[in-house]
Amino acid sequence: MVLCAYSYQNAPWLQKSGDDVRIHSILRNLAILTKIYAVGISLDNNIGSLLVDNVIYRTLTRPFYKILSKTIGWRHHYDYNLLSKLTLYLDEINVAIQIRQLQCPSIYVFGSMSLLPLYMRLFGYKGKIIYDPLANYAKTLYLQSRKKLSILIKYGIYLLLHKQTLRNADVIIYPSTQDRENALKMFQSELREKQVKVVPNSIPICYESEEEYRKYRAQRRENIPYFIMVAGSKGKTNESAVKLAIETFKKIERPYRLIITGPWRYLDPHISSIKITGYLPQQKLKELLAQADYGLTPVFTHTAGTFLKTMAYIAAGLDILTTPLGIDLELVRWAKPKIHLIRTPEELRVVALRAIQEYNPTRKRRPILCIEAEKYLTQYIRNLV
């Protein structure tokens, strides 16, 4: 059996984003059970095939994007630029033609903006289509549309297209129970006769052994509470959360260390207790997480949500200071971490002070080992297959 997969993400095997990690981890696990032929599209000319973790990736060029960008002299060739979004649906027609030639009995489609399931049905495809929008993006747009007319128009167009994709898929996959339940409420008629399942995101980091974890934790220099906030992507939600964390912790006089990762050096308060690291490679992030005691997710704006921050904290055995929006219910039920819930921005200071007061330097922490992380996702993948 061969399973075809498609994503408009550029090179998901490089795992540069949370969506990339989700796509490649699911395909990698599926490749244990069946042959995977993954088709993607790219804005550049680096076209070809490669084998990564037993997944065969083939990258197609985007003919409509290339022709139009050359015609109008478009120079902004970065991922998700305006022209790339406008021409996506035209370029997916070419993708549908290519995948149809492969004659796969099942297709796994990733991405909330894709219309590939619709095109495959129009071309007469009768096999099973599994659709993974990566998150319930419609919920994000709905909440934002109540504040801006331009987003309301965007929301209406998105709903019109997204419903076509849902109608033409057989199985719809969401990364969390929250996303699934929200989608079932928003798309009752489209999902009524569908299989709607949850396949959680893969745990973004793990440790090969307890010894590896203890080696990194031993690198701590001070016997005071260490907080860490992983905020790798640049967006308004992360920026607001970083600003809130900095302003809150600046006012705390008791000893602590706060480490913030991501592109936020322009927000550096230049005080010794708060350090902004910039982007970090995965290995360095593993080391810092092992040294920390508490993970921060003070997110008060709804996002499409992969909960990767919280998942990384759980993997390192940290206590977590988070709003309800930062909780991945599947992983919390499985790992049972200690959660300090933050309900309002003002409550962050109270919760942080309580965590500092309760800090116990001798408390044993248990990380998630890589063999456990792999089993966690595999159980969902096997149920899906």
Side-chain angles (χ1 to χ4, degrees):
M1 175 182 171
V2 177
L3 173 68
C4 284
Y6 162 73
S7 166
Y8 51 72
Q9 304 286 128
N10 188 18
W13 61 87
L14 296 178
Q15 303 185 72
K16 290 183 177 180
S17 69
D19 286 344
D20 288 346
V21 171
R22 175 172 177 79
I23 293 167
H24 184 68
S25 61
I26 288 176
L27 294 181
R28 185 185 69 234
N29 274 272
L30 283 170
I32 300 172
L33 306 171
T34 185
K35 186 176 182 180
I36 303 294
Y37 197 94
V39 176
I41 53 178
S42 174
L43 300 183
D44 57 37
N45 294 314
N46 297 323
I47 311 303
S49 299
L50 71 161
L51 182 67
V52 183
D53 295 332
N54 294 318
V55 179
I56 304 169
Y57 282 101
R58 181 186 176 194
T59 305
L60 302 176
T61 188
R62 293 187 57 174
F64 290 99
Y65 175 82
K66 291 176 73 67
I67 292 171
L68 190 56
S69 62
K70 186 176 182 180
T71 301
I72 67 175
W74 186 261
R75 298 181 179 180
H76 309 288
H77 303 292
Y78 56 86
D79 288 347
Y80 306 120
N81 68 72
L82 178 60
L83 187 62
S84 75
K85 293 178 181 179
L86 293 175
T87 57
L88 172 64
Y89 301 118
L90 293 174
D91 284 318
E92 283 194 334
I93 296 174
N94 178 56
V95 174
I97 294 171
Q98 298 295 325
I99 291 181
R100 188 170 180 268
Q101 293 174 356
L102 298 173
Q103 298 182 338
C104 295
S106 299
I107 302 173
Y108 198 130
V109 179
F110 294 93
S112 64
M113 294 187 292
S114 179
L115 278 180
L116 188 70
L118 171 62
Y119 295 148
M120 294 303 298
R121 297 304 188 200
L122 290 175
F123 287 146
Y125 181 74
K126 302 298 183 182
K128 177 185 286 188
I129 297 179
I130 304 169
Y131 176 52
D132 187 335
L134 300 174
N136 185 18
Y137 183 55
K139 181 68 173 182
T140 303
L141 281 179
Y142 166 70
L143 293 173
Q144 294 175 348
S145 69
R146 296 183 297 180
K147 300 179 181 179
K148 290 185 179 180
L149 177 61
S150 60
I151 298 181
L152 179 61
I153 296 172
K154 181 180 178 181
Y155 175 58
I157 296 173
Y158 174 81
L159 281 184
L160 180 67
L161 298 174
H162 188 60
K163 287 181 178 181
Q164 295 300 317
T165 302
L166 294 176
R167 289 183 184 125
N168 287 282
D170 301 294
V171 182
I172 294 88
I173 306 297
Y174 290 100
S176 70
T177 299
Q178 294 99 314
D179 282 330
R180 179 182 181 274
E181 295 306 315
N182 285 333
L184 287 171
K185 293 176 183 177
M186 297 182 73
F187 304 107
Q188 293 182 25
S189 61
E190 290 78 16
L191 299 179
R192 184 175 294 117
E193 298 180 0
K194 308 292 184 180
Q195 296 181 55
V196 185
K197 300 184 178 183
V198 172
V199 175
N201 291 298
S202 64
I203 299 171
I205 69 152
C206 60
Y207 297 88
E208 294 298 333
S209 64
E210 294 271 1
E211 289 72 23
E212 181 193 28
Y213 175 79
R214 287 195 293 266
K215 179 181 72 174
Y216 297 146
R217 189 157 181 83
Q219 296 174 7
R220 285 173 54 117
R221 297 180 179 179
E222 300 167 290
N223 194 17
I224 59 176
Y226 272 41
F227 294 82
I228 188 168
M229 181 173 176
V230 178
S233 60
K234 193 167 186 178
K236 291 183 179 179
T237 298
N238 270 344
E239 184 178 48
S240 298
V242 170
K243 287 180 177 179
L244 173 63
I246 290 173
E247 290 304 311
T248 299
F249 277 80
K250 276 170 56 177
K251 300 173 184 177
I252 295 178
E253 298 179 354
R254 301 187 63 167
Y256 69 88
R257 287 286 177 269
L258 171 59
I259 301 169
I260 301 174
T261 73
W264 312 107
R265 285 191 170 128
Y266 66 95
L267 298 175
D268 195 335
H270 300 292
I271 58 177
S272 60
S273 55
I274 300 177
K275 180 181 179 181
I276 300 179
T277 66
Y279 287 113
L280 293 176
Q282 179 116 343
Q283 180 59 35
K284 184 61 179 177
L285 181 61
K286 278 178 60 173
E287 295 175 14
L288 287 180
L289 285 166
Q291 296 170 35
D293 303 294
Y294 302 98
L296 288 179
T297 310
V299 175
F300 290 91
T301 303
H302 181 87
T303 59
T306 57
F307 310 107
L308 288 178
K309 298 179 182 64
T310 308
M311 295 175 79
Y313 303 151
I314 292 173
L318 307 186
D319 291 356
I320 301 167
L321 282 64
T322 181
T323 65
L325 294 175
I327 297 175
D328 183 304
L329 291 179
E330 282 70 36
L331 190 59
V332 166
R333 293 189 188 108
W334 181 68
K336 298 180 175 58
K338 184 173 182 180
I339 303 290
H340 300 263
L341 202 59
I342 308 163
R343 294 178 177 82
T344 66
E346 295 75 23
E347 197 174 10
L348 175 58
R349 184 174 184 275
V350 176
V351 174
L353 279 172
R354 186 186 309 132
I356 292 173
Q357 292 168 355
E358 295 175 357
Y359 170 64
N360 180 4
T362 62
R363 177 184 165 189
K364 291 184 178 181
R365 300 183 179 274
R366 189 190 181 288
I368 293 178
L369 304 184
C370 293
I371 189 172
E372 297 172 314
E374 197 67 20
K375 289 180 179 178
Y376 170 70
L377 182 60
T378 300
Q379 64 181 331
Y380 290 92
I381 298 295
R382 290 187 181 278
N383 290 336
L384 173 63
V385 174

